[in-house]
Amino acid sequence: MGRLTHSDINGGCLFAADPEQAFDRQSIFWAPEALSTVLSLRQFGAASDGGQYALDWTSLAAGEFRRGPDGWHGVVALAGASHRLYLPAIPPKGVPLSIELPLDANSDIRLQAAHRFWCAIDGRRLGPSPLALSPQRRRRFVLMMRALDAWLAGHSYREIAEGLFGRERVRGRSWKDHDLRSLTIRLVKNGIALMRGGYRALLRPTSRKK
């Protein structure tokens, strides 16, 4: 197990990776202040009086926990969803917990994450993740990443467009004023922006301010 540190650049919690596992099969741990769906749990009171929820941590063995200087970070599967938790210390069995809900720009997202976690514990329907991407945004991000990979490999915008949308659509008209030309350029530029740190915007909801 590696030493945990908080990165001022990406807001992540760094642990030693398992060299025997592919990167996309290992959990990413985020600091609560960086990812609004990470729930900060605290011990609340003493023994439960029956009216409060007290998690049995032995029943969460399927989850992943990492211990760092600031406490415990976990990714726990409950009710078919992954819940991200942070605790300064693992409480004794039977002790109730509270969730910290700071008032900030992401309070609504944190409240939704807390509600989903409570629903999972109570056996209720969870509903969608508060940071879930729509199918349209997912498709666009896939196109961005494919366009970025091709651009980094040295392909021209036209070659990228042919790979993304097919040669027939690209070669059916003049490339100079082709609508796919401007679209491909935007995809590459947006992909570059994501690569250079813009991906962190995915950790927070799109602003709803007018």
Side-chain angles (χ1 to χ4, degrees):
M1 182 180 295
R3 176 179 177 274
L4 178 147
T5 59
H6 288 266
S7 168
D8 293 332
I9 297 177
N10 58 27
C13 302
L14 305 181
F15 293 96
D18 183 354
E20 301 298 323
Q21 279 192 317
F23 77 93
D24 58 348
R25 295 186 176 274
Q26 301 188 53
S27 295
I28 298 175
F29 295 85
W30 293 98
E33 60 270 20
L35 180 60
S36 53
T37 53
V38 177
L39 299 177
S40 295
L41 304 183
R42 298 289 188 275
Q43 180 175 322
F44 181 76
S48 175
D49 60 4
Q52 297 169 320
Y53 293 99
L55 287 181
D56 180 3
W57 296 101
T58 61
S59 67
L60 302 179
E64 294 187 63
F65 287 88
R66 300 289 187 274
R67 186 177 186 178
D70 60 344
W72 290 84
H73 297 255
V75 180
V76 175
L78 285 176
S82 293
H83 305 268
R84 297 180 178 275
L85 311 175
Y86 163 70
L87 304 94
I90 299 294
K93 182 178 179 180
V95 172
L97 299 171
S98 64
I99 300 176
E100 287 190 342
L101 297 173
L103 292 175
D104 56 25
N106 296 322
S107 290
D108 57 339
I109 298 299
R110 198 171 289 109
L111 281 168
Q112 292 178 57
H115 183 259
R116 294 181 84 239
F117 184 57
W118 173 78
C119 287
I121 297 172
D122 199 51
R124 298 171 182 257
R125 184 177 179 180
L126 271 62
S129 168
L131 294 182
L133 296 175
S134 66
Q136 294 80 3
R137 290 196 74 194
R138 283 182 178 273
R139 285 194 293 269
R140 186 165 183 83
F141 280 122
V142 169
L143 289 175
M144 285 182 199
M145 294 301 97
R146 291 181 61 193
L148 175 63
D149 286 344
W151 182 80
L152 292 173
H155 293 282
S156 67
Y157 289 129
R158 180 164 185 161
E159 291 171 336
I160 295 172
E162 290 178 356
L164 294 179
F165 308 109
R167 291 186 177 182
E168 295 297 325
R169 288 187 62 187
V170 173
R171 297 184 177 183
R173 50 181 290 192
S174 171
W175 174 244
K176 186 176 181 180
D177 57 358
H178 205 301
D179 58 320
L180 291 180
R181 179 177 181 272
S182 57
L183 173 58
T184 301
I185 293 174
R186 286 198 305 273
L187 289 173
V188 170
K189 288 184 176 180
N190 290 336
I192 293 172
L194 286 174
M195 178 182 65
R196 293 177 176 171
Y199 69 90
R200 292 193 297 273
L202 299 177
L203 303 179
R204 295 178 174 85
T206 303
S207 175
R208 291 171 294 279
K209 293 182 179 180
K210 301 285 187 177

